[in-house]
Amino acid sequence: EAKLRFVQLALARGADPNQKAGGKSALHFAAILGHSNAVKLLLLYGASTTLRVDEDDTDYTECDGLTALEIVEEKMVKEGGR
């Protein structure tokens, strides 16, 4: 998939996996959007599982203050543990 390849290239060239944009890291976005392969890749490159989503009034406000792990846990609960 082209988007995953782009993420891999950016990380291989030194992109910071913990850089935030819009109050969220790449790991937050990958978890929110359910991109498990991107989550795995970001974790391999040292993405932090303890960074929290900044609290603001923009997109995905239900995730404000959560870590990526908490986002995944909430999604699993909503989807019945799948």
Side-chain angles (χ1 to χ4, degrees):
E1 143 182 333
K3 291 178 185 177
L4 185 62
R5 182 73 180 132
F6 174 79
V7 172
Q8 184 176 24
L9 286 172
L11 291 167
R13 292 183 178 167
D16 180 358
N18 296 309
Q19 178 68 42
K20 286 186 176 182
K24 296 162 197 70
S25 69
L27 186 59
H28 293 136
F29 281 112
I32 289 167
L33 299 172
H35 296 300
S36 60
N37 288 333
V39 167
K40 291 174 192 173
L41 183 62
L42 289 159
L43 291 172
L44 284 173
Y45 278 88
S48 173
T49 59
T50 60
L51 283 178
R52 295 192 175 275
V53 173
D54 295 346
E55 294 190 23
D56 60 21
D57 60 352
T58 60
D59 57 353
Y60 307 111
T61 56
E62 70 278 5
C63 297
D64 284 359
L66 299 179
T67 66
L69 292 175
E70 292 167 336
I71 292 168
V72 171
E73 288 172 351
E74 286 202 3
K75 286 181 73 98
M76 289 179 69
V77 168
K78 286 181 184 174
E79 294 174 5
R82 289 184 271 147

